[in-house]
């Protein structure tokens, strides 16, 4: 720095000239590769984004009928024409909010609509969701899946924040007059965990990324905001 | 669609393999240039030095688009750690592009720390996948420890990321020895 200060204005000017000459020389040398690199990078970006736009337009036409398995819990008449599939999370407030709508639809369209419930616990944001799913499955082992399901949604605010959710769920099981020893064993079983994981994987493969996600006769539907919404969609499918 | 995805991933993995070989070659070149003044070594060194920014632009572009391909087309959900690495990769193509257009050789100074931090995240991610018990990171729907793809026995997504950062770092280590 000191050295630079000592230079006269003229010398400084010359130095700058020399530097820029150096730059130009270097620039000339790598000129072709430089522009080639810029063009290749530009073409890659352009091509990629054109492809994304193109494929997203196509995806809208293709993704309408997804492959759903029959895994999950069935509620309503087996022979019903319309199947409503719900990917749900017991700790999800949005799911609890829509629970009465689903119940009402099942009642109003008894024999025409059936519900297939699939687990999709969002374990990253809901710490007790996985345990809740396990509790419902363990109750299901004793034939009381839907009783536990209803209870979990009803008392969501009671258990969502607790540290030891398993203990609370055992309490619920006792309230439902389940064999609590068997419940505890099933709760921790690999079998139940695998069943839930399988349903989560199925949801991921179908593009489910939030709960609740509803499918009506294999087609994903907009999440209903009111019962009227849901009713309209069902009427269309009937 | 499925075929396109698997073919592109294989292509990306091949590029990664080549970039690993190139990185090793460049490191050797840097060492050789330091110990000998052989004219051929000097010439190759000068060639890399002259075109380092151009090559870096291509590498950073492929890495950026590759990661976008994995999330947007192959539909692999990027986990939290993937996002950290993306943060440090995505600015690089822009930096290199501007540097090329304006003939700015100083870009190396800014790029090296960015790429080094990115490499740090990538290495952490690789460790996490190799020893999932040792470290914890699972606050995403798709856990960071889930290995999506392993080509040639070692190339997973974070290995791809680490290779790209590594290649960019090595490319930008080249300096004019006379200065």
């Amino acid at each position: 720095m000191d050295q630079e200060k000592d230079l006269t204005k003229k010398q400084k000017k010359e130095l700058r000239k020399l530097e820029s000459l150096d730059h130009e020389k270097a620039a000339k040398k790598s000129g072709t590769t430089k522009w080639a690199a810029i063009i290749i990078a530009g073409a890659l970006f352009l091509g990629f984004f054109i492809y994304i736009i193109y494929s997203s337009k196509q995806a809208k036409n293709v993704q309408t009928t997804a492959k759903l398995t029959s895994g999950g819990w069935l509620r309503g008449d087996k022979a019903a024409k319309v199947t409503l599939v719900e990917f749900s999370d017991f700790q999800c407030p949005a799911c609890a909010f829509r629970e009465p709508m689903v119940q009402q639809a099942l009642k109003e369209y008894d024999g025409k609509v059936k519900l297939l419930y699939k687990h999709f616990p969002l374990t990253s944001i809901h710490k007790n969701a996985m345990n809740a799913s396990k509790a419902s499955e363990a109750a299901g082992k004793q034939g009381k899946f839907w009783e536990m399901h209803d209870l979990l949604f009803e008392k969501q605010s009671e258990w969502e924040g607790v540290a030891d959710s398993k203990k609370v769920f055992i309490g619920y099981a006792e309230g439902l007059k389940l064999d609590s020893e068997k419940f505890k064993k099933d709760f921790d079983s690999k079998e139940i965990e695998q069943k839930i994981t399988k349903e989560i994987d199925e949801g991921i493969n179908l593009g489910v990324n939030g709960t609740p996600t509803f499918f009506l006769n294999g087609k994903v539907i907009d999440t209903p905001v009111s019962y009227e919404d849901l009713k309209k969609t069902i009427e269309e499918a009937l | 669609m499925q075929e396109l995805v698997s073919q592109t991933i294989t292509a990306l993995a091949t590029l990664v393999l080549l970039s690993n070989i190139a990185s090793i070659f460049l490191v050797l070149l840097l060492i050789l240039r330091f110990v000998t003044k052989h004219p051929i070594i000097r010439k190759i060194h000068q060639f890399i030095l002259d075109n380092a920014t151009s090559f870096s632009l291509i590498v950073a572009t492929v890495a950026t688009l590759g990661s976008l391909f994995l999330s947007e087309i192959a539909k692999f959900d990027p986990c939290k750690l993937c996002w950290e690495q993306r943060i440090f990769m995505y600015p690089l193509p822009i930096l290199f592009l501007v540097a090329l257009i304006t003939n700015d050789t100083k870009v190396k100074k800014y790029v090296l720390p960015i790429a080094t931090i990115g490499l740090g995240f990538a290495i952490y991610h690789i460790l996490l996948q190799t020893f999932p018990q040792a470290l914890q990171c699972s606050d995403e729907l798709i856990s960071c420890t889930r290995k999506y793809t392993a080509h040639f026995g070692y190339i997973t997504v974070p290995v791809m990321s680490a290779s790209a950062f590594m290649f960019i770092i090595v490319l930008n280590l080249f300096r004019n020895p006379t200065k």
Side-chain angles (χ1 to χ4, degrees):
Chain A
M1 280 307 250
D2 282 343
Q3 234 182 349
E4 247 174 58
K5 260 185 196 165
D6 291 340
L7 296 173
T8 64
K9 254 190 186 168
K10 207 178 169 188
Q11 277 173 313
K12 266 191 192 169
K13 214 175 175 181
E14 240 157 57
L15 198 73
R16 231 175 283 149
K17 221 179 189 175
L18 263 169
E19 266 177 8
S20 75
L21 225 80
D22 254 7
H23 268 285
E24 265 170 41
K25 227 164 112 191
K28 229 179 210 168
K29 235 196 225 165
S30 59
T32 350
T33 5
K34 173 182 138 177
W35 288 108
I38 292 174
I39 289 165
I40 291 170
L44 283 174
F45 265 104
L46 206 68
F48 184 82
F49 288 116
I50 288 173
Y51 181 79
I52 287 263
I53 293 164
Y54 171 77
S55 67
S56 74
K57 268 186 187 159
Q58 269 204 329
K60 268 182 200 147
N61 302 331
V62 177
Q63 264 183 357
T64 42
T65 41
K67 270 180 232 150
L68 282 159
T69 67
S70 58
W73 288 91
L74 203 65
R75 193 173 216 179
D77 190 351
K78 258 187 202 166
K81 191 181 154 203
V82 174
T83 312
L84 185 67
V85 176
E86 179 184 8
F87 282 92
S88 181
D89 170 349
F90 286 116
Q91 205 186 328
C92 159
C95 299
F97 173 72
R98 286 174 180 82
E99 194 45 38
M101 297 181 198
V102 176
Q103 301 271 13
Q104 200 180 333
L106 285 176
K107 211 181 271 171
E108 191 174 336
Y109 296 97
D110 189 29
K112 291 176 185 164
V113 175
K114 59 178 183 285
L115 173 75
L116 187 62
Y117 184 94
K118 289 172 189 283
H119 297 285
F120 200 77
L122 301 168
T123 48
S124 59
I125 48 173
H126 297 150
K127 61 171 182 165
N128 290 333
M130 190 63 181
N131 273 357
S133 287
K134 283 182 183 175
S136 69
E137 285 290 335
K141 283 270 173 198
Q142 298 179 48
K144 288 201 170 169
F145 173 83
W146 290 108
E147 286 80 350
M148 185 58 95
H149 163 279
D150 294 346
L151 193 64
L152 285 169
F153 273 129
E154 190 187 314
K155 299 199 167 173
Q156 192 185 65
S157 56
E158 201 178 288
W159 57 264
E160 63 184 353
V162 299
D164 188 1
S165 57
K166 189 180 165 184
K167 211 172 125 190
V168 179
F169 297 146
I170 291 168
Y172 290 175
E174 280 161 359
L176 290 171
K177 302 206 166 60
L178 298 175
D179 174 355
S180 68
E181 280 315 306
K182 182 170 164 41
F183 180 85
K184 278 185 219 168
K185 219 179 95 195
D186 288 332
F187 187 94
D188 292 322
S189 73
K190 265 260 151 27
E191 187 199 333
I192 279 179
E193 200 186 324
Q194 276 167 358
K195 182 174 186 282
I196 296 167
T197 317
K198 212 176 134 193
E199 282 170 24
I200 297 172
D201 284 344
E202 184 187 338
I204 291 170
N205 289 333
L206 286 163
V208 174
N209 52 16
T211 52
T213 297
F214 291 102
F215 289 79
L216 200 77
N217 283 348
K219 280 183 195 173
V220 66
I221 58 167
D222 290 334
T223 311
V225 181
S226 64
Y227 179 63
E228 272 59 50
D229 267 6
L230 184 63
K231 196 174 163 167
K232 213 178 120 201
T233 327
I234 291 171
E235 289 284 352
E236 280 167 15
L238 275 171
Chain B
M1 189 65 194
Q2 213 61 41
E3 210 165 290
L4 172 90
V5 167
S6 69
Q7 279 170 357
T8 312
I9 292 172
T10 311
L12 282 174
T14 313
L15 284 176
V16 168
L17 185 70
L18 293 176
S19 91
N20 288 162
I21 297 167
S23 296
I24 295 168
F25 168 77
L26 289 182
V27 170
L28 285 178
L29 187 66
L30 278 171
I31 297 168
L32 280 177
R33 183 67 182 85
F34 195 68
V35 288
T36 72
K37 283 207 162 71
H38 194 282
I40 292 177
I41 300 288
R42 227 158 123 182
K43 236 178 173 171
I44 303 173
H45 182 277
Q46 191 61 42
F47 173 74
I48 303 288
L49 178 65
D50 287 343
N51 298 301
T53 315
S54 300
F55 296 153
S56 302
L57 173 65
I58 300 292
V59 175
T61 302
V62 171
T64 299
L65 295 181
S67 88
L68 281 172
F69 171 86
L70 290 178
S71 68
E72 300 310 306
I73 297 175
K75 301 282 177 203
F76 292 175
D77 273 4
C79 76
K80 203 175 170 188
L81 272 177
C82 302
W83 272 110
E84 311 286 0
Q85 289 159 63
R86 286 164 157 225
I87 287 168
F88 292 94
M89 181 57 82
Y90 289 5
L92 298 184
I94 301 162
L95 281 173
F96 287 125
L97 185 68
V98 174
L100 275 180
I101 291 171
T102 59
N103 286 326
D104 187 353
T105 50
K106 292 194 186 80
V107 71
K108 296 171 183 184
K109 281 192 210 165
Y110 307 104
V111 158
L112 275 176
I114 298 176
T116 309
I117 297 169
L119 179 65
F121 278 111
I123 289 172
Y124 178 74
H125 199 171
I126 294 169
L127 284 176
L128 207 66
Q129 283 196 336
T130 322
F131 314 102
Q133 320 85 329
L135 306 153
Q136 269 286 297
C137 166
S138 54
D139 63 353
E140 287 285 336
L141 186 63
I142 309 291
S143 152
C144 289
T145 52
R146 182 130 143 204
K147 279 193 189 183
Y148 267 118
T149 170
H151 280 77
F152 308 113
Y154 77 101
I155 296 174
T156 60
V157 178
V159 172
M160 290 181 175
S161 148
S163 304
F165 281 124
M166 186 66 102
F167 199 20
I168 289 169
I169 289 171
V170 178
L171 273 171
N172 287 280
L173 280 178
F174 279 74
R175 289 285 186 280
N176 216 332
T178 50
K179 267 182 191 168

